Each structure stands twice: as C-alpha cells, then as structure tokens.
Amino acid sequence: MATSAPARTLTDEEKFDLIVSNTQEVMRPDIIRAILPVRPLEIFWGTATTGRPHAAYFVPAIKIAQFLRAGCKVKVLLADLHGFLDADKAPESTLENRAMYYERVVGALLRSVGVDLNNLQFVRGSSYQLTPAFSRDLLRLSKRVSVHDAVKASSEIVKSTGDPVMPDGIYPMMQLLDEEYLGVDAEFGGIDQRKTFALANDTIAKAMGFKTRAHLMNPMVPGLSGGKMSSSIPKSKVDLLDEPATIKKKIAKAVCAPGQVEGNGILAFIQHVLLPYSQLQSPDGKAAISVVLKDQSEASIFTSFTEVKDAYKADDLTPQIAKKLVTEGLIKLTTSIRKEFEADSEWQHLAQAAYDNPVPSHTEKGKQRKDARKKQKAEPIDAAEEGSSMTSQ
C-alpha cells in the first residue's frame, strides 16, 4: 500500500490550485475560493455501481487524494439506484452485491494511491434516496424541470436504448438532489456529466431554493483501443484485478501512435495518474517521473506533462518507452488491490454474486491454467483458428 509524503501546510491559493489541477472545466470556482479561507471545502464524487471498475478509476482516485491533501472533506457516493436506472446496467437483484463490491474495490483503489479511508465517507445512494423527504423533493423538482431539459442532461451519461424512457429524466434530477442531501459545497465528476452540472447550476437555486454548488470535471481518459475506456468494451480497459502478465499484454497492444498526443490513452494515464501520483508522494509536493529516453543511458526527469508531450512529439519518448512506463506504474498501483482481493474470500464471493463473469479467485486461476494446458496437449491446434484468435485479441 502506498503512503503519502509528510504533509506540508498549503496556502489557500495552493489548495485551490491543487483542487482544480488536471480538471477540464470548473463551474463556479468563485464558490471554492470563497470557502477555502473560512473552512474545509466539502465535496463528493459519485459512481454508479454498474460494470466492474477499471484503470480509468485511478483518475478520480488521484483527484480524491488531492482533495484530501488540500484539506477537503470528501464523500464517495455509491450510486446504486442510478446504476439501476441506467438502462438496467445493474439489475435489481444485483444492487446490494454490486454496491458492496464497489465499496471493497474503490476502497482498495484509494488505499493504493495513499488515501487514508478514515478521512472520507462512503454513502450508499439508496440510504436516503428512498426516504419520503427525498421522494417529495424529487416530485417538487420534476414540476420545475422540463422533460426536454432532464433528458438532455442525462444524454451523455445514460445508455440510450432507443426512445427516451422515464429513468432518463429521473436520473439527472436525483443527481441534482444528491448535492443537497449530502450537504456538500461541490461535486466532482467526468466531463460527460457537464449537462447535468449545467442543469444544477441553472435550476437548483431557482427551483428549490437550495444553494448553488461548484462543479469540477475531469477529462475522459481514452481507452487502450481508442475512444472512451469502458467496462463494456474489454479491449479498451485494464481491470483493477488483472495480473501483471495480463496488464503487460494489454498495454503492449494499446493504440499509441508515434508523435500523436490527442486521444492517446497511454499519455493520458501519465498525465492524470502517474505525474500527480508522484507529486502526492513527493515531500516537496513536486511531480517527478524518471525515465530513460531513446538513445540515452542516463534517466531524464519529467516534472510536467508539457515536458512529456514535447519528448513524445520529438520521438525521444517513444511509444515503447511510454508503454513500459505505464505498465510499470499500473502494476505497482494494482498489486495491493489484487492482493487484497486474493486474501478476501468474501470479496471473491461478492464478485461472483454481483457479476455473471466473476473474476476467478487465485486458486481458480491456477486450476483454469492447468485445465488449459491439459486441453492444449490433448487437442491439435488448427492453424486457421489460431490465427483468427490472435487477431481478435
């Protein structure tokens, strides 16, 4: 488990800079600036308990670590009912098990980047979203928000299955109320939630008389095969429980065009995870990544993503070197998560109950490999079939 560097007292301006660092957009930063000199900022990050969390979750994990370093009070919302509303990504029968699985894996993820879980609070959405008070406020809000605006607000985050259905409009309105019921000053999420955040900014004070919150958005991390990293696209992601050999194989096959920075998932991981992680671990609070560049024998030190980009465009930092850097970083960060999983039989049972394709336990993995070797000895390999399976990976 990683441990953070000894804390250095930050000025209010340094706290603000750390809170907004690596975000793509911040709505109402004035709210944050006004609170910091007076008291700790209270902020929440919500995650719908749908597909199994993957390596892109390191991006919010790092931001949560930065929020805590800046003295913020942080709540992690396990949005079980939102997962249920989102095109039934989380069937009702799985809600409890998936919420418990998420709390296990997100907790292990946060510990891996040095977060002390005593400094934050996990909250289950259904713990208050099914109360009479929340239901009454949801009805009040529904009278003030048009169907068009509600469905538009969820268009980037709710999976479309054709014509809009009622949950498409209920989903963002519940998220607007989450801010009030969690008692926070700000909400943090991906840029795909911008329309929901804009609706909150425009509506919540006028419609409900609740205070307006600040909203911080991180960019969406490109997947390994291009596009968004997603639980539903296996080739696009690295699972948090993948073994080192699997991580190496996946990163080796990742799209990483020479000289191309935009849409490059490998470079995005360096920018949003490895650099800020090194900053959190540094006693002086400065980022530093050591790497031996092409045709060099001595290591170079990157202290900013601008330096990384310049080296990549100049082909000093080649795709192979960048992939090696990310592979080593991912293996380091996921090792403690995987060990916790393998030592926790209850977590393994939760994985089986929560998902149709559970992650095998350490013992089951060994049995599967042994069975595969027996099958390989017993059956001849068809050359055409082998070639087909190779290209499909």
Side-chain angles (χ1 to χ4, degrees), residues 26-80:
V26 179
M27 289 182 179
R28 296 299 306 270
D30 57 299
I31 293 174
I32 301 173
R33 287 190 180 278
I35 290 172
L36 288 178
V38 180
R39 59 172 174 81
L41 182 76
E42 298 189 35
I43 188 167
F44 94 89
W45 170 69
T47 177
T49 54
T50 53
R52 202 182 338 262
H54 46 72
Y57 279 65
F58 276 113
V59 176
I62 289 290
K63 281 307 304 177
I64 289 170
Q66 290 178 326
F67 295 151
L68 291 169
R69 177 70 184 88
C72 301
K73 294 182 178 179
V74 180
K75 292 179 180 178
V76 173
L77 174 65
L78 301 173
D80 48 353

Side-chain angles (χ1 to χ4, degrees), residues 29 59 80 88 107 137 149 166 221 246-247 255 334 353 359 367 373:
V59 176
D80 48 353
D88 208 24
D137 280 338
D149 287 350
M166 290 299 295
V221 175
T246 302
I247 293 174
V255 174
T334 57
V359 176
K367 184 178 182 299
R373 286 195 295 269

Side-chain angles (χ1 to χ4, degrees), residues 66-355:
Q66 290 178 326
F67 295 151
L68 291 169
R69 177 70 184 88
C72 301
K73 294 182 178 179
V74 180
K75 292 179 180 178
V76 173
L77 174 65
L78 301 173
D80 48 353
L81 295 187
H82 279 92
F84 173 65
L85 290 173
D86 188 356
D88 208 24
K89 286 182 181 178
E92 190 171 5
S93 61
T94 69
L95 289 182
E96 178 68 17
N97 288 318
R98 288 200 181 181
M100 291 167 62
Y101 179 89
Y102 260 69
E103 184 164 359
R104 280 288 214 296
V105 74
V106 172
L109 169 69
L110 291 169
R111 281 190 292 270
S112 77
V113 297
V115 171
D116 181 352
L117 297 191
N118 292 321
N119 295 328
L120 58 79
Q121 179 183 356
F122 282 98
V123 181
R124 189 90 57 91
S126 56
S127 68
Y128 62 86
Q129 290 166 348
L130 296 175
T131 62
F134 190 93
S135 297
R136 187 165 50 250
D137 280 338
L138 185 59
L139 291 174
R140 288 174 57 210
L141 182 60
S142 68
K143 293 179 65 176
R144 304 295 299 272
V145 178
S146 70
V147 173
H148 172 271
D149 287 350
V151 172
K152 178 183 176 183
S154 70
S155 61
E156 297 293 327
I157 50 179
V158 173
K159 183 178 180 181
S160 175
T161 56
D163 292 334
V165 292
M166 290 299 295
D168 297 350
I170 296 172
Y171 189 110
M173 290 195 295
M174 287 176 61
Q175 189 170 344
L176 265 59
L177 293 176
D178 287 338
E179 298 177 353
E180 179 70 17
Y181 276 74
L182 291 171
V184 296
D185 308 303
E187 181 177 357
F188 167 63
I191 194 67
D192 57 342
Q193 298 188 59
R194 189 187 189 285
K195 293 176 182 177
T196 298
F197 292 163
L199 180 64
N201 193 55
D202 295 340
T203 304
I204 203 68
K206 291 183 289 186
M208 303 294 291
F210 298 154
K211 72 178 185 179
T212 300
R213 271 78 180 184
H215 295 93
L216 303 95
M217 290 155 272
N218 63 264
M220 304 310 294
V221 175
L224 302 181
S225 56
K228 177 183 174 182
M229 189 176 289
S230 170
S231 295
S232 60
I233 308 174
K235 289 183 179 180
S236 75
K237 69 183 182 74
V238 171
D239 194 280
L240 295 174
L241 299 174
D242 279 342
E243 295 194 10
T246 302
I247 293 174
K248 289 178 183 178
K249 185 182 295 185
K250 287 183 176 181
I251 298 298
K253 293 181 179 180
V255 174
C256 188
Q260 183 175 322
V261 175
E262 296 300 320
N264 190 319
I266 297 297
L267 295 190
F269 195 83
I270 295 173
Q271 178 183 10
H272 294 285
V273 179
L274 298 186
L275 276 168
Y277 174 73
S278 72
Q279 181 183 22
L280 288 167
Q281 297 300 300
S282 172
D284 61 5
K286 295 181 180 178
I289 293 179
S290 175
V291 59
V292 178
L293 301 176
K294 186 177 72 174
D295 299 329
Q296 300 294 319
S297 57
E298 299 292 329
S300 297
I301 303 296
F302 290 134
T303 60
S304 70
F305 187 61
T306 298
E307 296 172 353
V308 174
K309 287 193 299 183
D310 290 345
Y312 194 75
K313 288 178 180 178
D315 200 37
D316 294 324
L317 176 64
T318 64
Q320 292 75 20
I321 296 173
K323 287 182 177 182
K324 182 175 183 291
L325 186 63
V326 169
T327 297
E328 292 173 349
L330 266 173
I331 290 174
K332 177 182 178 181
L333 290 170
T334 57
T335 294
S336 63
I337 302 173
R338 191 174 58 258
K339 286 183 176 179
E340 282 191 46
F341 178 79
E342 291 174 350
D344 189 339
S345 59
E346 185 178 346
W347 186 357
Q348 294 168 27
H349 292 147
L350 281 174
Q352 288 183 318
Y355 299 98

